[in-house]
Amino acid sequence: MTAQTGTPRRSILDRLPILRQLRQSYGIQRGMLVAGLILTGVFLLVAVLAPWIAPYGYAQLSDDNGGFGAQQPPSAEHLFGTTVGGFDVLSRVIWGAQTAALVVIVAVILSIFIGVILGLLSGYFGGWIDRVLVVICDAIYAFPSLLLAIVISIAISGGRSNLIGGILTAAMSITVVFIPQYFRVIRAETVRIKAEAFVESAKVLGASNVRIMSRHVFRNATRTLPLIFTLNASEAILTLAGLGFLGFGIEPTAASEWGYDLNKALSDVSSGIWWTSIGPGLGIVLAVLGMTLVGESLNDLNDPRLRGRRGVAADSGEMVETSVVPVVGVQETAAIDGEDTGEGDRT
């Protein structure tokens, strides 16, 4: 009996996207990915635990000792001070993480759902459906994203809304901006995949269009979605902050929003009141930085042209020779050549 040898099956942990690419990374690339994962993890953790770790409510103006007071400097009771409206800055920052996370999740899920369906239909069937959808998505993509989000926000709710309505309004505004990106990626992959031999074989065997799109095309066309998700999540936070900064976001008494708080802190900076702007500004920067680092690192690891020589060697398990031929080898080769030449001359 001969033992069959083959490649050992990878465990479930090795097949998880983030862990697999974390093992593929090295050097600065791994440092960027780890830093991005830490920042993103802290952001999500703060968003989930906001009701328990925030010292006060996002719209709370007083406690048992009385009112907080407006523009109070950092103290033991208010670590980041208070805003011009008398809100606790630290509490607004923590609750703002929850608002940003909810908007990002709803917006990106809606964008993926609509963009993937439209991309599959357009790329698979072609014809007039493809032409109409391409023209519409190109027209949407031509608009500046923030301007388009403002127009959609005003059209839906007049620019201001309560918690649920405001989150849905902001999410739908961002969704309209992101749909063309997912549509383009999925359509291009669908056009390429539908010409493959396995799709033609499924058609010959009598498989329906729905079955081919769901079982064959969809699986292969959506492999890059996690990468686009991470990059769009950071852009969604910036768009949400831009809407709030310009006054088209959520009502301040309905939810905490970093862009709105940053707008109200502008006049404080010129008066030397710096603590009202540090909190929301850091929240936006760190959340966007974390997601951007994760997205860019995954992009580098998914593109073989951007991997280093050591990264490719680690993936394949082979040693890559980076040095030139050793001097000893060169001398031995020259000696052998000389002996061959000498023997040829003597003959």
Side-chain angles (χ1 to χ4, degrees):
M1 296 289 295
T2 16
Q4 293 183 354
T5 58
T7 306
R9 186 176 180 84
R10 294 185 302 172
S11 64
I12 298 178
L13 292 177
D14 291 337
R15 284 179 284 172
L16 291 177
I18 299 296
L19 293 180
R20 177 171 56 85
Q21 276 136 359
L22 184 61
R23 295 187 179 188
Q24 291 177 351
S25 61
Y26 63 94
I28 298 178
Q29 195 176 58
R30 172 172 291 182
M32 291 174 56
L33 181 56
V34 170
L37 289 174
I38 291 175
L39 290 175
T40 305
V42 170
F43 165 69
L44 294 176
L45 194 63
V46 170
V48 171
L49 300 179
W52 295 278
I53 63 176
Y56 306 101
Y58 55 80
Q60 187 174 345
L61 295 172
S62 61
D63 57 6
D64 297 336
N65 299 323
F68 294 156
Q71 299 174 330
Q72 296 297 314
S75 61
E77 293 79 15
H78 307 284
L79 296 180
F80 283 13
T82 60
T83 67
V84 65
F87 302 112
D88 181 68
V89 175
L90 178 60
S91 300
R92 296 279 298 180
V93 171
I94 294 174
W95 284 102
Q98 186 181 74
T99 305
L102 288 174
V103 171
V104 167
I105 291 172
V106 174
V108 176
I109 288 178
L110 286 177
S111 303
I112 291 176
F113 181 75
I114 299 174
V116 167
I117 291 179
L118 294 180
L120 285 173
L121 293 175
S122 178
Y124 186 81
F125 291 107
W128 66 269
I129 298 179
D130 183 41
R131 290 193 293 270
V132 171
L133 290 176
V134 167
V135 169
I136 293 175
C137 287
D138 285 346
I140 295 175
Y141 201 74
F143 280 93
S145 58
L146 183 58
L147 178 60
L148 182 61
I150 292 173
V151 173
I152 299 298
S153 176
I154 294 175
I156 293 176
S157 67
R160 304 305 290 268
S161 187
N162 55 14
L163 176 59
I164 303 300
I167 289 176
L168 291 178
T169 299
M172 292 175 65
S173 305
I174 298 170
T175 297
V176 175
V177 175
F178 287 163
I179 285 176
Q181 301 181 25
Y182 293 98
F183 170 81
R184 285 183 166 191
V185 172
I186 299 301
R187 176 187 174 275
E189 287 295 307
T190 303
V191 170
R192 179 185 65 82
I193 292 169
K194 76 174 183 179
E196 296 289 340
F198 64 88
V199 175
E200 297 296 333
S201 301
K203 290 180 180 178
V204 171
L205 293 175
S208 63
N209 291 328
V210 176
R211 181 179 178 84
I212 293 174
M213 284 192 295
S214 60
R215 291 185 61 87
H216 301 290
V217 179
F218 175 77
R219 287 183 181 180
N220 294 282
T222 55
R223 292 181 178 179
T224 58
L225 288 187
L227 169 62
I228 307 174
F229 173 85
T230 54
L231 295 175
N232 279 352
S234 61
E235 188 178 348
I237 292 179
L238 289 176
T239 305
L240 174 65
L243 289 173
F245 186 82
L246 295 175
F248 299 102
I250 306 170
E251 291 284 350
T253 55
S256 174
E257 203 279 305
W258 290 336
Y260 175 86
D261 291 345
L262 201 58
N263 173 271
K264 293 302 178 183
L266 284 179
S267 57
D268 297 341
V269 176
S270 58
S271 306
I273 303 174
W274 51 269
W275 55 85
T276 56
S277 59
I278 290 294
L282 277 179
I284 296 172
V285 170
L286 294 179
V288 172
L289 179 62
M291 295 181 184
T292 303
L293 287 176
V294 173
E296 293 297 335
S297 300
L298 294 180
N299 182 38
D300 292 350
L301 291 170
N302 285 334
D303 190 348
R305 296 171 299 177
L306 299 179
R307 293 182 191 172
R309 182 176 298 175
R310 289 169 54 195
V312 176
D315 294 343
S316 59
E318 299 173 356
M319 295 299 295
V320 177
E321 191 65 42
T322 56
S323 60
V324 296
V325 179
V327 178
V328 177
V330 174
Q331 292 174 349
E332 290 176 357
T333 305
I336 293 172
D337 292 341
E339 291 176 2
D340 294 341
T341 308
E343 291 177 359
D345 292 339
R346 285 194 297 268
T347 56

